[in-house]
């Protein structure tokens, strides 16, 4: 059984209302695990994502009160994914495992115990998976469902009902933070790493206080980012549409000529009908071909690592 140093990374954007409570609960979890010997030691790393309220002052105070607490202040609002990435990057240098969790206490802090158990049993990535969406509104529940469906249809591998509440061991962390891409979609990136993984189920509650920092517009952007940072499937779709249109053009030629000869047409209709589909098909096909090349360029510029090493033994 392995065990090590744990860091809990918490991105915070205008979270003054919840921070004290969040800190209290996270420290409880950490002291409990330190005492029971589940971990060697633990700490919380808050990342202030350019908040405009008292978030940083609170983090600063908390870190002075308790040596378990540390803080990173970003110069401007970089967005949740970037803030989390910053936290994980710095944490990866001083921990054996890191848990990422939102500041608003929607994710069950008690699930961290089980995550650490799974890590100690050998899992390198442990996904926090929410059980039911009973606390969400009908709208949020269904838009979220649509989000996961759309992702998988468009070729992005995401884990159903898992957001960014997860534990990663240092090997997985190092691999993640070495990814040089600029458009982050962490939950998808972690999936591409491989490693032995495990799931921990929990009930998601309402936000403890404050408002969601993810309005619908941000959520839509996130979904588009998730698809376009991961998959060239939309480009391939254009190609398929092109083929489909040309197929329709062939059917239209048959139908047009047939109607023409039995005299059911007004002059010009046949040629218009046929050229419409044929030109449409040809244009889509051409865009599709260009798309294939754009897709290749896209994969090259991402400069993702070609392989991920889990461990080496006796390598001198
Ligand atoms: N967050 C952030 N930067 C942003 C927006 C959000 O660091 O620009 C943090 C926020 O403080 C919270 C987490 O990301 O800890 C998730 O945000 P929120 O709970 O508002 O999203 P929701 O749960 O409503 O999707
Ligand atoms: Mg939330």
């Amino acid at each position: 059984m392995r065990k090590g140093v744990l860091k809990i990374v918490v991105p915070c954007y205008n979270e003054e209302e919840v921070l004290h409570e969040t800190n209290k609960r996270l420290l409880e979890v950490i002291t409990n695990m330190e005492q029971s010997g589940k971990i060697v030691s633990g700490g919380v790393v808050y990342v202030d994502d350019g908040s405009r309220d008292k978030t940083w002052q609170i983090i600063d105070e908390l870190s002075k009160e308790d040596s378990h607490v540390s803080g990173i202040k970003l110069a401007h609002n970089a967005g949740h994914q970037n803030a989390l990435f910053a936290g994980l990057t710095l944490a990866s240098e001083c921990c054996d495992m890191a848990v990422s969790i939102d500041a608003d206490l929607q994710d069950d802090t008690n699930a961290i115990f089980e995550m650490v158990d799974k890590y100690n049993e050998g899992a390198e990535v442990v996904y926090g998976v929410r059980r039911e969406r009973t606390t969400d509104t009908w709208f949020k529940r269904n838009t979220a469902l649509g989000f996961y469906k759309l992702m998988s249809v468009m070729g992005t591998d995401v884990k159903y009902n898992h957001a960014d509440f997860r534990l990663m061991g240092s090997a997985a962390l190092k691999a993640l933070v070495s990814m040089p891409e600029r458009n982050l979609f962490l939950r998808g990136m972690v999936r591409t790493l491989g490693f032995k993984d495990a799931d921990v189920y929990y009930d998601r509650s309402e936000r403890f206080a404050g408002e969601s920092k993810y309005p619908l517009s941000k959520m839509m952007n996130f979904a588009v980012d998730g698809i376009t940072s991961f998959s060239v499937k939309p480009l391939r779709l254009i190609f398929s549409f092109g083929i489909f249109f040309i197929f329709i053009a062939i059917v239209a030629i048959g139908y047009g000529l047939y109607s023409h000869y039995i005299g059911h047409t007004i002059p010009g209709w046949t040629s218009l009908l046929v050229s419409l589909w044929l030109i449409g098909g040809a244009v889509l096909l051409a865009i599709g071909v260009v798309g294939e090349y754009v897709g290749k360029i896209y994969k090259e510029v991402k400069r993702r690592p070609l392989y991920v090493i889990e461990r080496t033994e006796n390598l001198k």
Side-chain angles (χ1 to χ4, degrees), residues 7-38:
K7 293 279 181 209
I8 302 180
V9 179
V10 192
C12 312
Y13 179 54
N14 295 341
E15 300 285 9
E16 60 181 10
E17 287 161 277
V18 293
L19 266 181
H20 284 287
E21 182 65 23
T22 307
N23 191 56
K24 194 176 123 236
R25 295 217 203 155
L26 291 177
L27 288 184
E28 269 166 22
V29 171
I30 285 173
T31 12
N32 187 314
M33 287 196 291
E34 282 178 347
Q35 278 161 5
S36 62
K38 260 194 220 286

Side-chain angles (χ1 to χ4, degrees), residues 10-15 47 49 77-81 83-84 101-104 106 140 204 207 211-214 218-219:
V10 192
C12 312
Y13 179 54
N14 295 341
E15 300 285 9
V47 185
D49 185 15
N77 180 235
H80 172 232
Q81 297 287 296
L84 185 52
I101 188 168
D102 290 350
D104 58 1
Q106 282 192 283
K140 178 99 187 181
R204 195 161 150 107
R207 209 172 214 289
E211 275 167 15
S212 171
K213 274 77 191 171
Y214 262 102
K218 259 197 193 172
M219 240 163 63

Side-chain angles (χ1 to χ4, degrees), residues 2-6 88 92 95-100 114-128 165-176 190-191 193-200 308-311:
R2 57 180 183 167
K3 113 185 173 175
V5 177
L6 165 75
L88 291 174
S92 71
C95 72
D96 300 301
M97 61 189 127
V99 168
S100 47
E114 216 184 308
M115 287 182 168
V116 172
D117 283 340
K118 302 258 175 178
Y119 169 85
N120 288 345
E121 285 158 17
E124 188 63 20
V125 180
V126 187
Y127 299 104
F165 182 32
R166 78 179 84 79
L167 177 146
M168 297 178 81
S170 60
L173 264 182
K174 295 223 162 84
L176 180 76
V190 174
R191 296 286 283 172
L193 294 175
F195 290 107
K196 188 172 185 299
D197 59 22
D199 297 340
V200 165
V308 175
I309 295 173
E310 184 158 342
R311 64 202 286 179

